[in-house]
Amino acid sequence: MTDHSTPPHGVYDLVGVGIGPFNLSLAALCDGVPGLDALFLDRRPAFSWHPGLLLEGTVLQVPFMADLVTMADPTSRWSYLNYLREHGRLFPFFFSERFHIPRREYDHYCRWVAERLPSCRFGSEVTAVEWDASAEAFAVVHRAPGGSGGDREERVLARRVVLGVGTTPVVPEPLRPLLTPAHAGRVLHSADYRTHRAALAAADDVTVVGAGQSGAEVVLDLLRRQDGEGRGGPYVRWLARTPAFAPMEYSKIGLEHFTPDYVRYFRTLPEAVRDRLVREQWQLYKGVSEHTLGEIHDELYERTIGGGRPRAGLHPGVEITAVRPVEDSGGRGYVLGCRHTRQGTEFEVRTSAVVAATGYAAVRPACLDPLEKLVDWDARGRYRVGGDYRVALDASVTGALYVQNAEMHTHGVGAPDLTLGAWRAAVILNSAAGRTVLPVPDRAAWTTFGAPEPEPEPGPGTEPGGPGVQEPGARTGEAAR
């Protein structure tokens, strides 16, 4: 039986709120660290990672080494390779020559870890995080399962709290009034696609909104629900505000935006520059894998054999401006008011259902309300986050509050990416422990993202490339923190 008892001194060193991949990574790296008492809480009954999009054939967009621990501690027993060994699948994996693993398998791997970590407690919803000045610790209040089927309220103390509450689905404003039970299964976010998959496949016309990976996977899945000649199944319409259905940046040098080097560089930029960069770099984190785009093209190509025409439409550069439900001889459906952003033209389309594959956004959890006046928010109500992912708090708070995947505005496009997950968790772990538990790299990229440091004048006994010459791209002093 898992032991979640209070540590002997009565205060946890670290409590994590939410158990998604990022806090699960931290929990795995904390496991077995001497002198560190940690507890992780999540309201769900068990670990679950984007269940609405665990479609057959979909894969992670990052290599398998971006698991929970490997990029920080490849010797950990919680690695993906050890998961394969424990399940007797190392040889099949070796022969499959996979670099990008099935999404369903990643979910199963994470569940395997979460079920075995003694620090993880599910079915416990955190309702409040308060600062207890008398105890010099955070009070984390949560509802825990009771012995007679009811819940009981528990309160634990922690010197450090790590928020890993994830993100919430984003839906275009015109669609939000229709996210009601009356329109369930016909207007939805892609996060719920798998739940309503069969009904959508039986509809006459489905409109998918959003040019990212989720939108592409929904489009591909619906195209495959058509019969071999494209006559059965729904007409599939793909709308997106972006000027193109573009592939994700996946060049070896381009991927260096997901390194500690880029994070350090990004943090040195003015806030206005950072905000602009995040918008401009959408292809780094919102593009579609080249493989998925190729599969969509192949499906459409098949439909043209023998003079056929695909029952599909791809429309980039289009935003939805209005939506109204209709019910007439054609059945129930929706009329979408649309505008082409480049041409400035407006038009309408009729559809049976709408799937908004429009991404996710960081949220401020309600449990943080008691700390609202103690957090140093920026002008836009966002966390001010330090290099070690610690949130700026009022000087009266001696504890530490950290965030995971809520810092894109301060740390760049790598915030939601699994590539940096284990590295970020190691940075937080080292900061929380006050010592180097796991070493993190000083240099990981070939790219010099900022201006190069001036090379010192050669002195007596200084050889080119020796200790008196700084490597191109290396950073020292303030920029390195």
Side-chain angles (χ1 to χ4, degrees), residues 189-274:
H189 191 273
S190 57
D192 299 317
Y193 174 71
R194 195 175 176 205
T195 302
H196 303 285
R197 187 183 187 188
L200 291 167
D204 293 329
D205 182 297
V206 178
T207 298
V208 181
V209 183
Q213 183 68 22
S214 297
E217 288 173 357
V218 170
V219 167
L220 179 61
D221 189 65
L222 290 172
L223 287 174
R224 287 174 171 168
R225 294 302 183 111
Q226 298 175 348
D227 67 19
E229 296 181 354
R231 289 193 293 266
Y235 180 92
V236 182
R237 181 183 299 99
W238 194 8
L239 306 180
R241 287 188 304 176
T242 54
F245 297 109
M248 180 170 286
E249 168 60 63
Y250 208 75
S251 66
K252 294 178 181 179
I253 297 297
L255 287 177
E256 290 192 343
H257 286 85
F258 301 96
T259 59
D261 305 64
Y262 184 75
V263 172
R264 287 192 292 265
Y265 157 73
F266 188 85
R267 282 187 40 75
T268 67
L269 300 175
E271 180 179 309
V273 176
R274 295 198 303 258

Coordinates of all heavy atoms in Angstrom, one line a residue, residues 189-274:
H189 N -14.2 21.0 -28.2 CA -12.8 21.2 -28.4 C -12.2 19.8 -28.7 O -12.8 18.8 -28.4 CB -12.2 21.7 -27.1 CG -10.8 22.1 -27.2 ND1 -9.7 21.2 -27.1 CD2 -10.2 23.3 -27.5 CE1 -8.6 21.9 -27.3 NE2 -8.8 23.2 -27.5
S190 N -11.1 19.8 -29.4 CA -10.5 18.6 -29.9 C -10.1 17.7 -28.7 O -9.9 16.5 -28.8 CB -9.3 18.9 -30.7 OG -8.3 19.7 -30.1
A191 N -9.9 18.3 -27.5 CA -9.6 17.5 -26.3 C -10.7 16.4 -26.0 O -10.4 15.4 -25.4 CB -9.5 18.4 -25.1
D192 N -11.9 16.7 -26.5 CA -13.0 15.7 -26.4 C -13.3 14.9 -27.6 O -14.3 14.3 -27.7 CB -14.3 16.4 -25.9 CG -14.1 17.1 -24.6 OD1 -13.5 16.5 -23.7 OD2 -14.5 18.3 -24.4
Y193 N -12.4 15.0 -28.6 CA -12.7 14.4 -29.9 C -13.0 12.9 -29.8 O -14.0 12.4 -30.4 CB -11.6 14.6 -30.9 CG -11.8 13.9 -32.2 CD1 -12.7 14.3 -33.1 CD2 -11.0 12.8 -32.5 CE1 -12.9 13.6 -34.3 CE2 -11.2 12.1 -33.7 CZ -12.2 12.5 -34.6 OH -12.3 11.8 -35.8
R194 N -12.2 12.2 -29.1 CA -12.3 10.7 -29.1 C -13.7 10.3 -28.5 O -14.2 9.3 -28.9 CB -11.2 10.1 -28.3 CG -11.0 8.6 -28.4 CD -9.8 8.1 -27.7 NE -9.6 6.7 -27.7 CZ -9.0 6.0 -26.8 NH1 -8.4 6.6 -25.8 NH2 -8.9 4.7 -26.9
T195 N -14.2 11.1 -27.5 CA -15.4 10.8 -26.9 C -16.6 10.8 -27.9 O -17.5 10.0 -27.9 CB -15.7 11.8 -25.8 OG1 -14.7 11.7 -24.8 CG2 -17.1 11.5 -25.1
H196 N -16.5 11.7 -28.9 CA -17.6 12.0 -29.8 C -17.2 11.5 -31.3 O -17.9 11.9 -32.2 CB -18.0 13.4 -29.8 CG -18.4 14.0 -28.5 ND1 -19.6 13.7 -27.9 CD2 -17.7 14.7 -27.6 CE1 -19.7 14.2 -26.7 NE2 -18.6 14.9 -26.5
R197 N -16.2 10.7 -31.3 CA -15.6 10.4 -32.6 C -16.6 9.7 -33.5 O -16.7 10.0 -34.7 CB -14.4 9.4 -32.4 CG -13.6 9.0 -33.5 CD -12.5 8.1 -33.0 NE -11.5 7.7 -34.0 CZ -10.6 6.8 -33.8 NH1 -10.6 6.2 -32.6 NH2 -9.7 6.5 -34.7
A198 N -17.3 8.7 -33.0 CA -18.3 7.9 -33.8 C -19.4 8.8 -34.4 O -19.8 8.7 -35.5 CB -18.9 6.8 -33.0
A199 N -19.9 9.7 -33.5 CA -21.0 10.6 -34.0 C -20.5 11.6 -35.0 O -21.3 11.9 -36.0 CB -21.6 11.3 -32.8
L200 N -19.3 12.1 -34.9 CA -18.8 13.0 -35.9 C -18.6 12.3 -37.2 O -18.8 12.9 -38.3 CB -17.5 13.6 -35.3 CG -17.6 14.6 -34.2 CD1 -16.3 14.9 -33.5 CD2 -18.3 15.9 -34.6
A201 N -18.1 11.1 -37.1 CA -17.9 10.3 -38.4 C -19.2 10.0 -39.1 O -19.2 9.8 -40.3 CB -17.2 9.0 -38.1
A202 N -20.3 10.1 -38.4 CA -21.6 9.8 -39.0 C -22.3 11.1 -39.5 O -23.4 11.1 -40.1 CB -22.5 9.1 -38.1
A203 N -21.7 12.2 -39.2 CA -22.3 13.5 -39.6 C -22.1 13.8 -41.1 O -21.3 13.2 -41.7 CB -21.7 14.7 -38.8
D204 N -22.9 14.7 -41.6 CA -22.8 15.0 -43.0 C -21.6 15.9 -43.3 O -21.0 15.8 -44.4 CB -24.1 15.7 -43.5 CG -25.3 14.8 -43.5 OD1 -25.1 13.6 -43.7 OD2 -26.4 15.3 -43.2
D205 N -21.3 16.8 -42.4 CA -20.3 17.8 -42.7 C -19.7 18.2 -41.3 O -20.4 18.6 -40.4 CB -21.0 19.1 -43.3 CG -20.0 20.2 -43.7 OD1 -19.4 20.8 -42.8 OD2 -19.9 20.5 -44.9
V206 N -18.4 18.1 -41.2 CA -17.6 18.5 -40.0 C -16.6 19.5 -40.4 O -15.8 19.4 -41.3 CB -17.0 17.3 -39.4 CG1 -16.2 17.7 -38.1 CG2 -18.0 16.2 -39.0
T207 N -16.6 20.6 -39.6 CA -15.6 21.7 -39.7 C -14.6 21.6 -38.6 O -15.0 21.6 -37.4 CB -16.2 23.1 -39.8 OG1 -17.1 23.1 -40.9 CG2 -15.2 24.2 -39.9
V208 N -13.3 21.5 -38.9 CA -12.2 21.5 -38.0 C -11.5 22.8 -38.0 O -11.1 23.3 -39.1 CB -11.2 20.3 -38.2 CG1 -10.1 20.3 -37.2 CG2 -12.0 19.0 -38.3
V209 N -11.4 23.4 -36.9 CA -10.8 24.8 -36.8 C -9.4 24.7 -36.1 O -9.4 24.2 -34.9 CB -11.7 25.8 -36.0 CG1 -11.1 27.2 -36.0 CG2 -13.1 25.8 -36.6
G210 N -8.4 25.1 -36.7 CA -7.0 25.1 -36.1 C -6.0 24.4 -36.9 O -6.3 23.3 -37.4
A211 N -4.8 25.0 -37.1 CA -3.8 24.5 -38.0 C -2.7 23.7 -37.3 O -1.7 23.4 -37.9 CB -3.2 25.6 -38.8
G212 N -2.9 23.4 -36.1 CA -1.8 22.6 -35.4 C -1.9 21.1 -35.5 O -2.7 20.6 -36.3
Q213 N -1.1 20.4 -34.7 CA -1.1 19.0 -34.8 C -2.4 18.3 -34.5 O -2.8 17.4 -35.2 CB 0.0 18.4 -33.9 CG 0.3 16.9 -34.0 CD 0.8 16.5 -35.3 OE1 1.5 17.3 -36.0 NE2 0.7 15.2 -35.7
S214 N -3.1 18.8 -33.5 CA -4.4 18.2 -33.1 C -5.4 18.4 -34.2 O -6.1 17.4 -34.6 CB -4.9 18.9 -31.8 OG -4.0 18.6 -30.7
G215 N -5.4 19.6 -34.8 CA -6.4 19.8 -35.9 C -6.1 18.8 -37.1 O -7.0 18.2 -37.7
A216 N -4.8 18.7 -37.4 CA -4.4 17.8 -38.5 C -4.8 16.4 -38.2 O -5.2 15.6 -39.1 CB -2.9 17.9 -38.8
E217 N -4.6 15.9 -37.0 CA -4.9 14.5 -36.7 C -6.4 14.3 -36.7 O -6.8 13.2 -37.1 CB -4.3 14.2 -35.3 CG -2.8 14.1 -35.3 CD -2.2 13.9 -33.9 OE1 -3.0 13.9 -32.9 OE2 -1.0 13.7 -33.8
V218 N -7.2 15.3 -36.3 CA -8.7 15.1 -36.4 C -9.1 15.1 -37.9 O -9.9 14.2 -38.3 CB -9.4 16.2 -35.6 CG1 -10.9 16.2 -35.9 CG2 -9.1 16.1 -34.1
V219 N -8.5 16.0 -38.7 CA -8.8 16.0 -40.1 C -8.5 14.6 -40.7 O -9.3 14.0 -41.5 CB -8.1 17.1 -40.8 CG1 -8.1 16.9 -42.3 CG2 -8.7 18.4 -40.4
L220 N -7.3 14.1 -40.5 CA -6.9 12.9 -41.0 C -7.8 11.7 -40.6 O -8.1 10.8 -41.4 CB -5.4 12.6 -40.6 CG -4.8 11.3 -41.1 CD1 -4.8 11.2 -42.6 CD2 -3.4 11.1 -40.5
D221 N -8.1 11.7 -39.3 CA -9.0 10.6 -38.8 C -10.4 10.7 -39.5 O -10.9 9.6 -39.8 CB -9.1 10.8 -37.3 CG -9.8 9.6 -36.7 OD1 -9.3 8.5 -36.7 OD2 -11.0 9.7 -36.1
L222 N -10.9 11.8 -39.7 CA -12.2 12.0 -40.3 C -12.1 11.6 -41.8 O -13.1 11.0 -42.4 CB -12.8 13.4 -40.2 CG -13.2 13.8 -38.8 CD1 -13.5 15.3 -38.7 CD2 -14.4 12.9 -38.3
L223 N -11.0 11.9 -42.5 CA -10.9 11.5 -43.9 C -10.8 10.0 -44.0 O -11.4 9.4 -44.9 CB -9.6 12.1 -44.4 CG -9.6 13.6 -44.8 CD1 -8.2 14.1 -45.2 CD2 -10.6 13.9 -45.9
R224 N -10.2 9.4 -43.0 CA -10.1 7.9 -43.1 C -11.4 7.3 -42.7 O -11.6 6.0 -43.0 CB -9.0 7.5 -42.1 CG -7.6 7.8 -42.6 CD -6.5 7.5 -41.6 NE -5.2 7.5 -42.2 CZ -4.1 7.6 -41.5 NH1 -4.1 7.5 -40.2 NH2 -2.9 7.7 -42.2
R225 N -12.4 8.0 -42.2 CA -13.7 7.5 -41.9 C -14.6 7.5 -43.2 O -15.7 6.9 -43.2 CB -14.4 8.3 -40.8 CG -13.8 8.2 -39.4 CD -13.7 6.8 -39.0 NE -13.1 6.6 -37.6 CZ -13.8 6.3 -36.6 NH1 -15.1 6.0 -36.7 NH2 -13.3 6.2 -35.4
Q226 N -14.1 8.2 -44.2 CA -14.8 8.1 -45.5 C -14.5 6.8 -46.1 O -13.5 6.2 -45.8 CB -14.4 9.3 -46.4 CG -14.7 10.7 -45.9 CD -14.1 11.8 -46.8 OE1 -13.3 11.5 -47.6 NE2 -14.5 13.0 -46.5
D227 N -15.4 6.3 -47.0 CA -15.1 5.1 -47.7 C -13.9 5.3 -48.7 O -13.4 6.4 -48.9 CB -16.3 4.5 -48.3 CG -16.8 5.3 -49.5 OD1 -16.0 6.1 -50.1 OD2 -18.0 5.2 -49.9
G228 N -13.5 4.2 -49.3 CA -12.4 4.2 -50.2 C -12.4 5.3 -51.3 O -11.4 5.8 -51.8
E229 N -13.6 5.6 -51.7 CA -13.7 6.6 -52.8 C -14.2 7.9 -52.3 O -14.5 8.8 -53.1 CB -14.8 6.1 -53.9 CG -14.3 4.8 -54.5 CD -15.3 4.3 -55.6 OE1 -16.3 4.9 -55.7 OE2 -14.9 3.4 -56.3
G230 N -14.2 8.1 -51.0 CA -14.5 9.4 -50.4 C -16.0 9.8 -50.4 O -16.3 10.9 -50.2
R231 N -16.9 8.8 -50.7 CA -18.3 9.2 -50.8 C -19.0 9.1 -49.4 O -19.8 9.9 -49.1 CB -19.0 8.3 -51.8 CG -18.6 8.6 -53.3 CD -19.6 7.9 -54.2 NE -19.5 6.4 -54.2 CZ -18.7 5.7 -55.0 NH1 -18.0 6.3 -55.9 NH2 -18.7 4.4 -54.9
G232 N -18.7 8.0 -48.7 CA -19.3 7.9 -47.3 C -18.6 8.8 -46.3 O -17.5 9.3 -46.6
G233 N -19.2 8.9 -45.1 CA -18.5 9.7 -44.1 C -18.7 11.2 -44.4 O -19.4 11.6 -45.3
P234 N -18.3 12.0 -43.4 CA -18.6 13.4 -43.5 C -17.7 14.2 -44.6 O -16.6 13.8 -44.8 CB -18.3 13.9 -42.1 CG -17.1 13.0 -41.7 CD -17.4 11.7 -42.3
Y235 N -18.3 15.3 -45.1 CA -17.4 16.2 -45.8 C -16.6 16.9 -44.7 O -17.0 17.3 -43.6 CB -18.3 17.3 -46.4 CG -17.5 18.3 -47.2 CD1 -17.2 18.2 -48.5 CD2 -17.0 19.5 -46.5 CE1 -16.5 19.1 -49.2 CE2 -16.3 20.4 -47.2 CZ -16.0 20.3 -48.5 OH -15.3 21.2 -49.2
V236 N -15.3 17.0 -45.0 CA -14.3 17.5 -44.0 C -13.8 18.8 -44.4 O -13.2 19.0 -45.5 CB -13.2 16.5 -43.8 CG1 -12.2 17.0 -42.7 CG2 -13.7 15.1 -43.4
R237 N -14.0 19.8 -43.6 CA -13.6 21.2 -43.9 C -12.5 21.6 -42.8 O -12.8 21.5 -41.6 CB -14.7 22.2 -43.9 CG -14.4 23.6 -44.2 CD -15.6 24.5 -44.1 NE -16.7 24.1 -45.0 CZ -17.7 23.4 -44.7 NH1 -17.9 23.0 -43.4 NH2 -18.6 23.1 -45.6
W238 N -11.4 22.1 -43.3 CA -10.3 22.5 -42.3 C -10.1 24.0 -42.5 O -9.7 24.5 -43.5 CB -9.1 21.7 -42.7 CG -8.0 21.8 -41.6 CD1 -8.1 22.3 -40.4 CD2 -6.6 21.2 -41.8 NE1 -6.9 22.1 -39.7 CE2 -6.0 21.5 -40.5 CE3 -6.0 20.6 -42.8 CZ2 -4.7 21.1 -40.3 CZ3 -4.7 20.2 -42.6 CH2 -4.0 20.5 -41.3
L239 N -10.4 24.7 -41.4 CA -10.2 26.2 -41.4 C -9.1 26.5 -40.4 O -8.9 25.9 -39.3 CB -11.5 26.9 -40.9 CG -12.8 26.6 -41.7 CD1 -13.9 27.4 -41.0 CD2 -12.6 26.9 -43.1
A240 N -8.3 27.6 -40.7 CA -7.3 28.0 -39.8 C -6.9 29.5 -40.1 O -7.0 30.0 -41.2 CB -6.0 27.2 -39.9
R241 N -6.6 30.2 -39.0 CA -6.2 31.6 -39.1 C -4.8 31.8 -39.7 O -4.5 32.8 -40.3 CB -6.3 32.4 -37.8 CG -7.7 32.6 -37.3 CD -7.7 33.5 -36.1 NE -6.9 33.0 -35.0 CZ -6.7 33.6 -33.9 NH1 -7.1 34.8 -33.7 NH2 -5.9 33.0 -32.9
T242 N -4.0 30.8 -39.5 CA -2.6 30.9 -40.0 C -2.6 31.0 -41.5 O -3.5 30.4 -42.1 CB -1.8 29.7 -39.5 OG1 -2.4 28.5 -39.9 CG2 -1.6 29.7 -38.0
P243 N -1.6 31.6 -42.1 CA -1.6 31.8 -43.5 C -1.4 30.5 -44.3 O -1.5 30.5 -45.5 CB -0.4 32.8 -43.8 CG 0.4 32.6 -42.6 CD -0.5 32.3 -41.4
A244 N -1.0 29.4 -43.6 CA -0.7 28.2 -44.3 C -0.9 27.0 -43.3 O -0.8 27.2 -42.1 CB 0.7 28.2 -44.9
F245 N -1.1 25.8 -43.9 CA -1.0 24.6 -43.1 C 0.5 24.2 -43.1 O 0.9 23.5 -44.1 CB -1.9 23.5 -43.6 CG -3.4 23.9 -43.5 CD1 -4.1 24.2 -44.7 CD2 -4.0 24.0 -42.3 CE1 -5.4 24.5 -44.6 CE2 -5.4 24.3 -42.2 CZ -6.1 24.6 -43.4
A246 N 1.2 24.6 -42.2 CA 2.7 24.6 -42.3 C 3.3 23.5 -41.4 O 2.7 23.2 -40.3 CB 3.3 25.9 -41.9
P247 N 4.4 22.9 -41.8 CA 5.0 21.9 -41.0 C 5.8 22.5 -39.8 O 6.2 23.7 -39.9 CB 6.1 21.3 -42.0 CG 6.4 22.4 -43.0 CD 5.1 23.1 -43.1
M248 N 5.8 21.7 -38.8 CA 6.6 22.2 -37.6 C 8.1 22.2 -37.9 O 8.6 21.4 -38.7 CB 6.4 21.2 -36.4 CG 7.1 21.6 -35.2 SD 6.5 20.5 -33.8 CE 4.9 21.2 -33.4
E249 N 8.8 23.2 -37.4 CA 10.2 23.4 -37.6 C 10.9 22.1 -36.9 O 10.7 21.9 -35.8 CB 10.7 24.6 -36.9 CG 12.2 24.7 -36.7 CD 12.9 24.7 -38.1 OE1 12.7 25.6 -38.9 OE2 13.7 23.7 -38.3
Y250 N 11.6 21.4 -37.8 CA 12.2 20.1 -37.2 C 13.6 20.0 -37.7 O 14.1 18.9 -37.8 CB 11.3 18.9 -37.6 CG 11.5 17.8 -36.6 CD1 10.9 17.9 -35.3 CD2 12.2 16.7 -36.9 CE1 11.0 16.9 -34.4 CE2 12.4 15.7 -35.9 CZ 11.8 15.8 -34.7 OH 12.0 14.8 -33.7
S251 N 14.3 21.0 -38.1 CA 15.7 20.9 -38.5 C 16.5 20.8 -37.3 O 16.1 21.2 -36.2 CB 16.1 22.2 -39.3 OG 16.1 23.3 -38.5
K252 N 17.7 20.2 -37.4 CA 18.5 19.9 -36.2 C 19.0 21.2 -35.6 O 19.0 21.3 -34.3 CB 19.7 19.1 -36.7 CG 19.3 17.7 -37.1 CD 20.5 16.9 -37.6 CE 20.1 15.5 -38.1 NZ 21.3 14.7 -38.5
I253 N 19.3 22.3 -36.4 CA 19.7 23.5 -35.8 C 18.4 24.3 -35.2 O 18.5 24.9 -34.2 CB 20.4 24.4 -36.8 CG1 21.7 23.7 -37.2 CG2 20.7 25.8 -36.2 CD1 22.7 23.5 -36.0
G254 N 17.3 24.2 -36.0 CA 16.1 24.9 -35.5 C 15.6 24.4 -34.2 O 15.1 25.1 -33.4
L255 N 15.8 23.1 -33.9 CA 15.4 22.5 -32.7 C 16.2 23.0 -31.5 O 15.8 22.7 -30.3 CB 15.5 21.0 -32.7 CG 14.4 20.3 -33.6 CD1 14.6 18.8 -33.6 CD2 13.0 20.6 -33.1
E256 N 17.3 23.7 -31.7 CA 18.1 24.3 -30.6 C 17.3 25.4 -29.9 O 17.8 25.8 -28.8 CB 19.4 24.7 -31.1 CG 20.3 23.6 -31.5 CD 21.8 24.0 -31.7 OE1 22.0 25.2 -31.9 OE2 22.6 23.1 -31.7
H257 N 16.1 25.7 -30.4 CA 15.3 26.6 -29.6 C 14.7 25.9 -28.3 O 14.2 26.6 -27.5 CB 14.1 27.1 -30.4 CG 14.5 28.2 -31.4 ND1 15.0 27.8 -32.7 CD2 14.5 29.5 -31.4 CE1 15.3 29.0 -33.3 NE2 15.0 30.0 -32.6
F258 N 14.9 24.6 -28.3 CA 14.4 23.8 -27.2 C 15.6 23.3 -26.4 O 15.7 22.1 -26.0 CB 13.5 22.7 -27.6 CG 12.3 23.1 -28.4 CD1 12.4 23.1 -29.8 CD2 11.2 23.5 -27.8 CE1 11.3 23.6 -30.6 CE2 10.1 24.0 -28.6 CZ 10.2 24.0 -29.9
T259 N 16.5 24.3 -26.0 CA 17.6 23.9 -25.2 C 17.7 24.9 -24.1 O 17.2 26.0 -24.1 CB 18.9 24.1 -26.1 OG1 19.1 25.4 -26.6 CG2 19.0 23.0 -27.2
P260 N 18.5 24.6 -23.0 CA 18.7 25.5 -21.9 C 19.3 26.8 -22.4 O 19.1 27.9 -21.9 CB 19.6 24.8 -21.0 CG 19.3 23.3 -21.3 CD 19.0 23.3 -22.7
D261 N 20.2 26.7 -23.5 CA 20.8 27.9 -24.0 C 19.8 29.0 -24.5 O 19.9 30.1 -24.2 CB 21.7 27.5 -25.2 CG 22.7 26.5 -24.8 OD1 22.3 25.3 -24.5 OD2 23.9 26.7 -24.9
Y262 N 18.8 28.5 -25.2 CA 17.8 29.4 -25.7 C 17.0 30.0 -24.6 O 16.6 31.2 -24.6 CB 16.9 28.8 -26.8 CG 15.9 29.8 -27.3 CD1 16.4 30.7 -28.3 CD2 14.6 29.8 -27.0 CE1 15.5 31.7 -28.8 CE2 13.7 30.8 -27.5 CZ 14.2 31.7 -28.4 OH 13.4 32.7 -28.9
V263 N 16.7 29.2 -23.6 CA 15.9 29.7 -22.4 C 16.7 30.8 -21.8 O 16.1 31.9 -21.4 CB 15.6 28.5 -21.4 CG1 15.0 29.1 -20.1 CG2 14.7 27.5 -22.0
R264 N 18.0 30.6 -21.5 CA 18.8 31.7 -20.9 C 18.8 32.9 -21.7 O 18.7 34.0 -21.2 CB 20.2 31.2 -20.6 CG 20.2 30.1 -19.5 CD 21.7 29.9 -19.1 NE 22.4 29.2 -20.1 CZ 22.6 27.9 -20.1 NH1 22.1 27.1 -19.2 NH2 23.3 27.3 -21.1
Y265 N 18.9 32.8 -23.1 CA 19.0 33.9 -24.0 C 17.6 34.7 -23.9 O 17.5 35.9 -23.8 CB 19.3 33.5 -25.4 CG 18.8 34.4 -26.4 CD1 19.4 35.6 -26.7 CD2 17.7 34.1 -27.2 CE1 19.0 36.5 -27.7 CE2 17.2 34.9 -28.2 CZ 17.9 36.1 -28.4 OH 17.4 37.0 -29.4
F266 N 16.5 33.9 -24.0 CA 15.2 34.5 -24.1 C 14.9 35.3 -22.8 O 14.3 36.4 -22.9 CB 14.2 33.3 -24.2 CG 12.7 33.8 -24.5 CD1 12.3 34.1 -25.8 CD2 11.8 34.0 -23.4 CE1 11.0 34.5 -26.0 CE2 10.5 34.4 -23.7 CZ 10.1 34.6 -25.0
R267 N 15.4 34.9 -21.7 CA 15.1 35.6 -20.4 C 15.8 36.9 -20.4 O 15.4 37.8 -19.6 CB 15.6 34.7 -19.3 CG 14.6 33.6 -18.9 CD 15.0 32.9 -17.7 NE 15.5 33.8 -16.6 CZ 14.7 34.6 -15.9 NH1 13.4 34.6 -16.1 NH2 15.2 35.3 -14.9
T268 N 16.9 37.1 -21.2 CA 17.5 38.4 -21.2 C 16.8 39.5 -22.0 O 17.2 40.7 -21.9 CB 19.0 38.3 -21.7 OG1 18.9 38.0 -23.1 CG2 19.7 37.2 -21.0
L269 N 15.8 39.1 -22.8 CA 15.2 40.0 -23.7 C 14.1 40.9 -23.0 O 13.5 40.4 -22.0 CB 14.5 39.2 -24.8 CG 15.4 38.4 -25.7 CD1 14.6 37.6 -26.7 CD2 16.5 39.3 -26.4
P270 N 13.8 42.1 -23.5 CA 12.7 42.9 -22.9 C 11.4 42.2 -23.1 O 11.2 41.4 -24.0 CB 12.8 44.2 -23.7 CG 14.1 44.2 -24.3 CD 14.5 42.8 -24.5
E271 N 10.5 42.4 -22.1 CA 9.2 41.7 -22.1 C 8.5 41.9 -23.5 O 7.9 40.9 -24.0 CB 8.3 42.3 -21.0 CG 6.9 41.6 -20.9 CD 6.1 42.2 -19.8 OE1 6.6 42.2 -18.6 OE2 5.0 42.6 -20.0
A272 N 8.4 43.1 -24.1 CA 7.7 43.3 -25.3 C 8.3 42.5 -26.4 O 7.6 41.9 -27.3 CB 7.8 44.8 -25.7
V273 N 9.7 42.3 -26.4 CA 10.3 41.5 -27.5 C 10.0 40.0 -27.2 O 9.7 39.3 -28.2 CB 11.8 41.7 -27.4 CG1 12.6 40.8 -28.4 CG2 12.2 43.2 -27.7
R274 N 9.9 39.6 -26.0 CA 9.6 38.2 -25.7 C 8.2 37.9 -26.2 O 7.9 36.8 -26.8 CB 9.7 37.9 -24.2 CG 11.1 38.0 -23.7 CD 11.2 37.3 -22.3 NE 10.3 37.8 -21.3 CZ 10.7 38.6 -20.4 NH1 11.9 39.0 -20.3 NH2 9.8 39.0 -19.5

